[in-house]
């Protein structure tokens, strides 16, 4: 079984072999958990050291808890530090809501609402973040792509509550832009980009499809063509604010700008 | 923590405009509907019912919130301030209301209760706002008949009048009790 026998447990003290086997398996699991936890703590310490010992960062995520209202990040010292670890969120949050809705709105609430043109779900999808759901049955963690399923539709069960939303710490350059009728409204089209040093750029688009779409697009010559294809793939939807054609056109215009901005930020 | 099951009517107690009141509400009932239907406080108007138009803005513990995005059960034990609190008992308008009247900042008046409550909170936090700040806050409201220029000048006039005479009649409603 490849495990160390606990020194405090006498080797021949248990007559029942199944029980001993059970205990050994349990001990192996505990040891493995310990090792994993140790690695996570080390990872956290490295991240913390890089970012100036940030308070409240778990693992490699910036976790935003249920009660954190969107207004707070501007005012609170600790949250400012957290947001420095996530420049995308810092860029997107000022576009979220008006004075009166921000007074009460929360980050987790925005994720739970799952508006297709909403800024925070777009940031979470682009960064491949996680949603922590809790109920009496227990806690489960879903990836952003699994959580948001469609127009205002999520994988949350009726008895579950979102207790935290985890944004990965950004490595690379990010950019965010949106077009809306009023500052603070849901976007007509919002685009976010992450230049993570990989092959191409991760581009996230909200307001075009029933949930945020994230695609990898080439960073150089083929960028405009890729965004053109993306615009036709997503099609865009019609509503009182804009036609599908206008949405596609907005994506063609702000998509390349945001992608190039992310590349410049990474440099 | 008090548990209320789906469909169960619960008794909600709150302080509305300085008076302790109570009414019954299902967990899904909105604060806006609770104020109007259960407590009879119809000064708060309901427009879009999804947080866009701003008609239903009230103060919850002194902070401007959309009552259509707040559940009645969330207001349990808290202080709610609505447009009915602004004028004196004899009908004398407060400084903000008087400024709206002076500047023709309302026509049909449907959106006005929400705008008044937003700026009651905002002016308490920021007694000397710039025009840009006023426009930013007004961006959270929709007015379909008067246009916004009159509202902006009314708020600026109210800010001037209350900051010049902080101890006079008009100023007292601009600083609601704050528990945060």
């Amino acid at each position: 079984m490849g495990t160390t026998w606990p020194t405090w447990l006498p080797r021949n003290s248990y007559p029942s072999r199944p029980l001993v086997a059970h205990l050994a398996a349990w001990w192996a699991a505990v040891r493995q958990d310990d090792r994993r936890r140790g690695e996570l703590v080390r990872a956290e310490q490295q991240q913390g050291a890089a970012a100036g010992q940030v308070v409240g960062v778990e693992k490699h995520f910036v976790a935003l808890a249920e009660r954190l209202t969107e207004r707070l990040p501007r005012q609170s010292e600790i949250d400012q530090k957290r947001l420095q670890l996530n420049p995308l969120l810092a860029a997107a949050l000022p576009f979220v809501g008006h004075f009166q809705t921000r007074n009460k709105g929360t980050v987790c609430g925005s994720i739970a609402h799952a508006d297709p043109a909403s800024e925070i779900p777009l940031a979470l999808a682009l960064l491949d973040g996680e949603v922590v759901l809790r109920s009496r049955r227990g806690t489960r963690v879903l990836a952003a792509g699994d959580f948001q399923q469609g127009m205002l539709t999520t994988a949350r069960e009726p008895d579950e509550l979102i207790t935290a939303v985890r944004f990965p710490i950004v490595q690379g350059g990010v950019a965010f832009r949106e077009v809306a009728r009023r500052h603070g409204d849901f976007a007509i089209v919002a685009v976010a980009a992450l230049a993570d040093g990989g092959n191409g750029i991760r581009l996230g688009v909200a307001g075009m499809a029933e949930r945020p779409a994230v695609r990898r697009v080439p960073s150089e010559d083929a960028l405009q063509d890729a965004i053109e294809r993306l615009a036709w793939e997503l099609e865009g939807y019609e509503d009182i604010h804009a036609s599908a054609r206008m949405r596609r056109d907005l994506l063609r215009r702000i998509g390349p700008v945001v992608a190039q901005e992310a590349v410049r930020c990474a440099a | 923590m008090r548990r209320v099951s789906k469909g169960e009517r619960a008794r909600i107690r709150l302080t509305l405009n300085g008076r302790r009141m109570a009414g019954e509400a299902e967990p899904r009932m909105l604060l806006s509907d609770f104020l109007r239907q259960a407590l009879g406080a119809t000064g708060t108007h309901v427009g879009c019912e999804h947080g866009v138009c701003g008609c239903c803005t009230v103060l919850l513990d002194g902070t401007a919130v959309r009552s259509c995005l707040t559940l009645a059960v969330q207001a349990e034990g808290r202080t709610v301030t609505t447009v009915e609190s602004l004028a004196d008992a004899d009908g004398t308008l407060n400084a903000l209301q008087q400024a709206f009247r002076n500047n023709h900042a309302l026509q049909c008046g449907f959106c006005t209760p929400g705008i008044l409550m937003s700026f009651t909170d905002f002016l308490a936090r920021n007694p000397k706002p710039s025009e840009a700040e006023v426009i930013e806050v007004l961006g959270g409201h929709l007015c379909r008949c008067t246009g916004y220029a009159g509202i902006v000048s009314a708020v600026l006039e109210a800010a001037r009048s209350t900051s010049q005479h902080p101890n006079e009649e008009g100023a007292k409603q601009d600083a609601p009790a704050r528990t945060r």
Side-chain angles (χ1 to χ4, degrees):
Chain A
M1 194 162 276
T3 176
T4 24
W5 190 258
T7 48
W8 47 266
L9 194 61
R11 285 203 173 244
N12 299 317
S13 57
Y14 293 94
S16 154
R17 285 196 67 82
L19 178 63
V20 172
H22 179 77
L23 274 170
W26 166 77
W27 181 249
V30 167
R31 287 294 304 259
Q32 198 178 351
D33 267 8
D34 276 354
R35 277 198 296 276
R36 202 176 294 151
R37 207 171 294 136
E39 284 162 18
L40 289 175
V41 169
R42 279 194 295 282
E44 181 185 341
Q45 283 166 349
Q46 285 163 7
Q47 293 283 3
Q53 297 299 330
V54 172
V55 189
V57 175
E58 54 177 85
K59 298 187 203 167
H60 52 295
F61 292 109
V62 184
L64 297 179
E66 180 201 350
R67 281 179 174 273
L68 176 63
T69 67
E70 284 159 1
R71 191 164 53 81
L72 283 175
R74 283 181 179 173
Q75 297 179 340
S76 147
E77 174 74 28
I78 293 174
D79 297 325
Q80 281 282 3
K81 282 184 181 171
R82 285 190 189 189
L83 285 179
Q84 283 169 10
L85 287 179
N86 199 318
L88 178 61
L89 209 52
L93 275 178
F95 290 92
V96 179
H98 303 281
F99 164 78
Q100 303 86 347
T101 40
R102 292 170 73 104
N103 275 342
K104 198 94 177 70
T106 63
V107 170
C108 295
S110 178
I111 294 294
H113 187 55
D115 191 284
S118 194
E119 294 86 358
I120 300 175
L122 171 63
L124 193 73
L126 179 74
L127 299 177
D128 218 3
E130 293 178 347
V131 180
V132 182
L133 293 157
R134 203 173 130 196
S135 68
R136 279 183 175 180
R137 289 170 285 131
T139 301
R140 62 181 180 137
V141 179
L142 288 181
D146 297 330
F147 178 75
Q148 188 164 356
Q149 296 180 328
M151 180 83 75
L152 307 177
T153 308
T154 69
R156 188 187 67 83
E157 297 292 334
D159 62 340
E160 283 181 319
L161 189 71
I162 299 180
T163 54
V165 177
R166 295 170 173 169
F167 290 87
I169 291 170
V170 170
Q171 312 277 356
V174 290
F176 177 88
R177 286 194 190 200
E178 74 168 42
V179 175
R181 294 278 180 206
R182 297 182 295 175
H183 176 244
D185 278 356
F186 286 120
I188 294 173
V189 171
V191 181
L194 169 66
D196 52 6
N199 188 21
I201 307 162
R202 268 172 76 84
L203 194 75
V205 182
M208 292 284 290
E210 58 183 13
R211 59 177 182 162
V214 179
R215 300 284 187 281
R216 201 164 265 284
V217 294
S219 55
E220 294 292 322
D221 306 330
L223 175 62
Q224 189 71 50
D225 286 346
I227 286 171
E228 178 69 35
R229 278 197 301 279
L230 181 59
W232 284 112
E233 181 204 325
L234 298 176
E235 290 182 26
Y237 51 84
E238 307 250 349
D239 63 13
I240 192 170
H241 304 294
S243 64
R245 184 180 173 183
M246 180 178 167
R247 287 192 152 86
R248 288 193 296 271
D249 206 43
L250 285 173
L251 175 58
R252 284 185 200 108
R253 283 159 194 269
I254 57 177
V257 177
V258 174
Q260 285 155 3
E261 198 177 317
V263 173
R264 283 200 301 278
C265 287
Chain B
M1 192 173 73
R2 189 171 155 206
R3 285 185 181 278
V4 183
S5 61
K6 188 169 72 176
E8 181 188 334
R9 292 176 69 81
R11 195 150 184 83
I12 312 292
R13 295 172 197 81
L14 51 80
T15 306
L16 177 65
N17 301 328
R19 290 176 58 198
R20 298 179 74 173
M21 299 185 85
E24 296 211 328
E26 286 182 27
R28 63 176 182 156
M29 191 179 213
L30 302 176
L31 179 60
S32 52
D33 292 336
F34 181 73
L35 290 173
R36 290 177 60 86
Q37 293 165 20
L39 302 184
T42 52
T44 301
H45 289 175
V46 177
C48 67
E49 294 194 78
H50 67 159
V52 173
C53 76
C55 287
C56 68
T57 305
V58 300
L59 305 190
L60 191 62
D61 289 342
T63 303
V65 301
R66 303 279 200 239
S67 61
C68 73
L69 296 183
T70 310
L71 296 169
V73 289
Q74 290 177 283
E76 162 76 25
R78 301 177 73 175
T79 301
V80 179
T81 313
T82 64
V83 69
E84 284 99 334
S85 70
L86 298 183
D88 285 345
D90 63 1
T92 310
L93 302 180
N94 81 354
L96 186 60
Q97 288 172 309
Q98 188 59 46
F100 266 61
R101 185 174 184 172
N102 298 345
N103 290 275
H104 307 291
L106 69 154
Q107 187 173 316
C108 83
F110 193 88
C111 64
T112 313
I115 298 178
L116 288 172
M117 296 322 288
S118 267
F119 282 106
T120 299
D121 176 16
F122 178 71
L123 291 177
R125 298 184 197 197
N126 191 351
K128 291 179 182 173
S130 68
E131 188 174 344
E133 288 170 325
V134 172
I135 290 172
E136 174 66 33
V137 174
L138 191 55
H141 291 272
L142 290 174
C143 169
R144 295 291 80 172
C145 49
T146 314
Y148 300 99
I151 302 174
V152 173
S153 46
V155 173
L156 292 173
E157 182 190 304
R160 279 195 303 275
S161 67
T162 49
S163 57
Q164 278 165 6
H165 311 288
N167 298 322
E168 285 186 18
E169 187 77 358
K172 71 179 193 313
Q173 290 292 351
D174 282 357
R178 209 163 265 273
T179 54
R180 276 186 304 138

